[in-house]
Amino acid sequence: MTTVQEAQAGLQMKAAGEKKKRTGVLLTGATWIISVLFVFPVVWMIWTSFHSETDAAANPPKVLSAFSVQGYQSFFGSNPWPAILNSLTASIISTILVLCLALPAAYALSIRPVKKWSDVLFFFLSTKFMPVVAALLPVYLFAEKVHFLDNIWLLILLYTSMNLPIAVWMLRSFLAEIPGEMLEAAQVDGAGVIRTLREIIAPVIMPGIASAALICFIFSWNELLFARVLTGTRAETAPVFLTGFVTSQGLFLAQVCAASFVVSLPVLAAGFAAQDKLVQGLSMGAVR
């Protein structure tokens, strides 16, 4: 009887192992399919950017047509550097301001006793409920009244206020993972709040700070509506400059693909440089 039970248990374990193996294969295949679906548009955009306008606009597409750098010549011949510099300035400065404001706020909401902290977090989140277009006209009238239109600092202030709630929510989840004993030891050593934030908390949650900074940078870099309406020639950003290649006459697909790839490079470079900290930070903030 024992031998029969052992044989049955062995068969069950074998069946469970085969089922687990089949499930792993299916999950791996699904992952590859989803990855291809995400990556294919980007690869197609890059591939199209190295074709002439005629070949890029062909239907069906000419995949194996001759390569051409005409789109890149048109893009760089249009002097995109002021727009790219404006985007870098607005994105970097606003991200720094967001981190400087969000870290103390997240510290107060996660570690220091604050009354009705959940209501405060909900208030931060509620600022993202209103559609951006609903605030466009009031912001435009205010900027016009104070003679702040076509000014890069207006975009910096807007991007800071738009990204601050997201950063506070993210950093609070990261700060909640810090052991209380570490903060108590810092207090015993006589460390103040500023020193605790700078020398103890910041190094521990650096992956979280990196992920929050990257997300804020991407949101600022990709923002188009406010930049399109509130800027002109001096404070024009890269996404606004990119839309100038879309015309009502003629062919422009290769130029748009080339410009899109070049404009996407700073975000891709930042994501690639911080990919380890990004994954670690998002995982640390998501797992309790």
Side-chain angles (χ1 to χ4, degrees), residues 170-171 174 206-216 274 277-282:
M170 291 184 64
L171 292 179
F174 301 140
M206 187 55 66
I209 295 176
S211 60
L214 182 60
I215 290 177
C216 292
K277 291 186 179 297
L278 178 62
V279 174
Q280 183 181 357
L282 293 177

Coordinates of all heavy atoms in Angstrom, one line a residue, residues 170-171 174 206-216 274 277-282:
M170 N 4.8 59.0 -4.6 CA 5.8 58.0 -4.8 C 6.8 57.9 -3.7 O 7.1 56.9 -3.1 CB 6.6 58.2 -6.2 CG 5.7 58.0 -7.4 SD 6.7 58.2 -8.9 CE 7.9 56.8 -8.7
L171 N 7.3 59.1 -3.3 CA 8.4 59.2 -2.3 C 7.8 58.8 -0.9 O 8.5 58.2 -0.1 CB 8.9 60.6 -2.2 CG 9.8 61.0 -3.4 CD1 10.3 62.4 -3.2 CD2 11.0 60.0 -3.6
F174 N 8.1 55.1 -0.6 CA 9.4 54.7 -0.4 C 9.9 54.9 1.0 O 10.5 54.1 1.7 CB 10.4 55.4 -1.4 CG 10.1 55.2 -2.8 CD1 10.1 56.2 -3.7 CD2 9.7 53.9 -3.3 CE1 9.9 56.0 -5.1 CE2 9.4 53.7 -4.6 CZ 9.5 54.7 -5.5
M206 N 17.5 56.3 -2.5 CA 18.0 56.8 -3.7 C 17.4 56.1 -4.9 O 17.1 56.8 -5.9 CB 19.5 56.7 -3.8 CG 20.2 57.3 -5.0 SD 19.7 59.1 -5.1 CE 20.5 59.8 -3.7
P207 N 17.1 54.8 -4.9 CA 16.4 54.2 -6.1 C 15.0 54.8 -6.3 O 14.6 55.1 -7.4 CB 16.3 52.7 -5.7 CG 17.5 52.5 -4.8 CD 17.6 53.7 -4.0
G208 N 14.3 55.1 -5.2 CA 13.0 55.7 -5.3 C 13.1 57.2 -5.8 O 12.3 57.6 -6.6
I209 N 14.1 57.9 -5.3 CA 14.3 59.3 -5.8 C 14.6 59.2 -7.3 O 14.1 60.1 -8.1 CB 15.4 60.0 -5.0 CG1 15.0 60.1 -3.5 CG2 15.8 61.3 -5.6 CD1 16.1 60.7 -2.7
A210 N 15.4 58.3 -7.7 CA 15.8 58.2 -9.1 C 14.6 57.9 -10.0 O 14.4 58.5 -11.1 CB 16.9 57.1 -9.3
S211 N 13.7 57.0 -9.5 CA 12.5 56.6 -10.3 C 11.6 57.8 -10.3 O 11.0 58.1 -11.4 CB 11.9 55.4 -9.7 OG 11.5 55.6 -8.3
A212 N 11.4 58.5 -9.2 CA 10.5 59.7 -9.2 C 11.0 60.8 -10.1 O 10.3 61.4 -10.9 CB 10.3 60.2 -7.8
A213 N 12.3 61.0 -10.1 CA 12.9 62.0 -10.9 C 12.8 61.7 -12.4 O 12.5 62.5 -13.2 CB 14.4 62.2 -10.6
L214 N 13.0 60.4 -12.7 CA 12.9 60.0 -14.1 C 11.4 60.2 -14.6 O 11.2 60.7 -15.8 CB 13.3 58.5 -14.3 CG 13.3 58.0 -15.7 CD1 14.2 58.8 -16.6 CD2 13.7 56.5 -15.8
I215 N 10.5 59.8 -13.8 CA 9.1 59.9 -14.3 C 8.7 61.4 -14.4 O 8.0 61.8 -15.4 CB 8.1 59.2 -13.2 CG1 8.3 57.7 -13.4 CG2 6.7 59.6 -13.5 CD1 7.5 56.9 -12.4
C216 N 9.1 62.3 -13.5 CA 8.9 63.7 -13.6 C 9.6 64.3 -14.8 O 9.0 65.1 -15.5 CB 9.3 64.4 -12.3 SG 8.4 64.0 -10.9
A274 N 19.4 55.0 -15.8 CA 18.8 54.8 -14.5 C 17.9 53.6 -14.4 O 17.1 53.4 -13.5 CB 18.0 56.0 -14.1
K277 N 18.2 51.5 -11.0 CA 17.6 52.2 -9.9 C 16.1 52.3 -10.1 O 15.3 52.3 -9.1 CB 18.2 53.6 -9.7 CG 19.7 53.5 -9.2 CD 20.2 54.9 -8.9 CE 21.7 54.8 -8.3 NZ 21.7 54.1 -7.0
L278 N 15.7 52.5 -11.3 CA 14.3 52.6 -11.6 C 13.5 51.4 -11.2 O 12.5 51.4 -10.5 CB 14.0 52.9 -13.1 CG 12.6 53.1 -13.6 CD1 11.9 54.2 -12.8 CD2 12.5 53.3 -15.1
V279 N 14.0 50.2 -11.7 CA 13.3 48.9 -11.3 C 13.4 48.7 -9.8 O 12.4 48.3 -9.2 CB 14.0 47.8 -12.1 CG1 13.4 46.5 -11.7 CG2 13.8 48.0 -13.6
Q280 N 14.5 48.9 -9.2 CA 14.6 48.7 -7.8 C 13.7 49.7 -7.0 O 13.1 49.3 -6.0 CB 16.1 48.9 -7.4 CG 16.3 48.7 -5.9 CD 17.8 48.9 -5.5 OE1 18.6 49.2 -6.4 NE2 18.1 48.8 -4.2
G281 N 13.7 50.9 -7.5 CA 12.8 51.9 -6.8 C 11.4 51.6 -6.9 O 10.6 51.7 -5.9
L282 N 10.9 51.3 -8.1 CA 9.5 50.9 -8.2 C 9.1 49.7 -7.5 O 8.0 49.6 -6.9 CB 9.2 50.8 -9.7 CG 9.3 52.1 -10.6 CD1 9.0 51.8 -12.0 CD2 8.3 53.1 -10.1

